[in-house]
Amino acid sequence: SIVIPVLNEAGTVSQTLNAVLALDYPKNKLEVIVVDDESTDGTVKEVQRFASKGVKLIPNRHVGIGKSSALNKGIKAAKGELIATLDSDSFPEKISLAKLASFFVDPSIMAVTAAVKVHSPKTVIEKIQGVEYIFVMFTRRLLSFVDSVTVTPGPFSVFRAEVFNKVGLFDENNILEDQEMAYRIQSHNYKIVGSLTAEVYTQVPSTFSQLMRQRVRWNRGGMRNFYKHRKLISPKYGDMGAVIMPLSVLTVLLVIAVFATQAWQ
């Protein structure tokens, strides 16, 4: 099952749905669910045009912060053994879903992340992010070797459906729900891995001001999630708790120290 939350995505959601329907995956094993989070533009009408192709549209009464309540509504309705979450401005490659699904032959794996790349970068800001995303993708793959992946990216991630019964649904009052879910999965000592070949292309901020708003949200949410799951700093969580989480604390302290030193000087 692929769950796609939408909010005022007229003009973009059709491209996403066309990419999903073109996936190289058995059609009788694929369920596409679009959850409308109270859109006020032409998003609903645009999605309804795909009803004849099997796309299900579910209305959602928005609750909390961000898209979590829409994701949860879709997950509750999903029938698949695997559930993918896909942003409405992201476009997976044809073979990507099959590649992600193949990881689940290992019963210990509960989530797999795609290789997120920038869609058609044009501005300098977008091209810089394109390089950044390649580094992030590579780093996430390295972290998967030590069972320390700390985010299940919104653009495209696949979960074993049963994991939501074990750890709960997305936090509806969290501004960085994809990271919080990864921390929660890790806190149960379940495995998350990252793929370098299952590609998905996502739209990114095109101006500096948009980028700053995004990064402020990411960092605010990241600090809150780190504090919420601070118990992960423990050897009982393997390399994640003994190495990666402590290094994250050190990174934050060093950044604060640099800014404090500059301010003092």
Side-chain angles (χ1 to χ4, degrees):
S1 300
I2 300 180
V3 176
I4 309 171
V6 296
L7 174 63
N8 297 333
E9 290 291 347
T12 301
V13 68
S14 291
Q15 190 176 352
T16 299
L17 289 174
N18 283 326
V20 169
L21 294 173
L23 287 169
D24 187 4
Y25 199 85
K27 302 306 178 187
N28 64 330
K29 294 181 181 291
L30 187 64
E31 178 184 45
V32 182
I33 300 172
V34 176
V35 184
D36 178 59
D37 208 16
E38 299 187 318
S39 295
T40 56
D41 62 357
T43 298
V44 171
K45 289 183 177 180
E46 199 168 322
V47 175
Q48 287 173 338
R49 293 201 290 266
F50 290 85
S52 60
K53 298 181 180 180
V55 175
K56 301 176 182 177
L57 176 62
I58 299 176
N60 178 61
R61 184 177 180 183
H62 179 80
V63 177
I65 302 171
K67 62 187 177 184
S68 293
S69 66
L71 283 171
N72 291 340
K73 187 73 173 279
I75 290 168
K76 290 175 184 177
K79 299 176 182 177
E81 294 176 50
L82 303 177
I83 299 177
T85 57
L86 176 68
D87 280 351
S88 53
D89 60 354
S90 299
F91 321 107
E93 284 288 315
K94 289 185 68 172
I95 197 64
S96 60
L97 181 59
K99 288 181 176 179
L100 293 174
S102 69
F103 281 87
F104 290 93
V105 294
D106 182 345
S108 68
I109 291 176
M110 287 295 171
V112 183
T113 69
V116 183
K117 296 185 176 181
V118 175
H119 176 68
S120 300
K122 296 181 178 65
T123 68
V124 173
I125 293 292
E126 290 173 334
K127 290 177 181 178
I128 291 173
Q129 290 174 85
V131 176
E132 176 198 19
Y133 275 46
I134 292 173
F135 277 102
V136 171
M137 178 179 68
F138 181 65
T139 302
R140 191 170 295 131
R141 182 58 177 155
L142 291 178
L143 288 174
S144 70
F145 286 119
V146 290
D147 295 332
S148 301
V149 175
T150 58
V151 64
T152 48
F156 200 25
S157 295
V158 181
F159 303 84
R160 199 180 294 275
E162 66 186 74
V163 76
F164 296 112
N165 295 325
K166 295 180 177 180
V167 308
L169 296 171
F170 283 93
D171 183 351
E172 296 180 355
N173 290 303
N174 195 288
I175 61 175
L176 206 62
E177 77 291 328
D178 50 0
Q179 183 191 64
E180 195 279 332
M181 176 56 72
Y183 277 155
R184 201 156 6 121
I185 292 173
Q186 292 283 10
S187 71
H188 286 74
N189 279 316
Y190 295 140
K191 187 179 291 187
I192 305 172
V193 296
S195 171
L196 281 177
T197 59
E199 298 176 343
V200 61
Y201 291 85
T202 190
Q203 295 181 344
V204 297
S206 58
T207 66
F208 184 74
S209 60
Q210 291 174 350
L211 180 64
M212 285 302 294
R213 283 197 297 271
Q214 181 197 64
R215 297 312 164 96
V216 167
R217 179 176 65 84
W218 283 5
N219 282 278
R220 284 177 59 205
M223 292 176 69
R224 291 177 183 177
N225 287 334
F226 193 92
Y227 182 76
K228 178 179 179 180
H229 294 280
R230 58 193 181 279
K231 70 173 185 178
L232 284 171
I233 304 177
S234 169
K236 74 176 184 178
Y237 296 106
D239 292 323
M240 171 108 176
V243 180
I244 302 303
M245 294 294 280
L247 281 177
S248 297
V249 174
L250 180 60
T251 300
V252 172
L253 293 177
L254 286 173
V255 169
I256 293 172
V258 168
F259 275 100
T261 301
Q262 291 297 316
W264 178 77
Q265 289 180 346

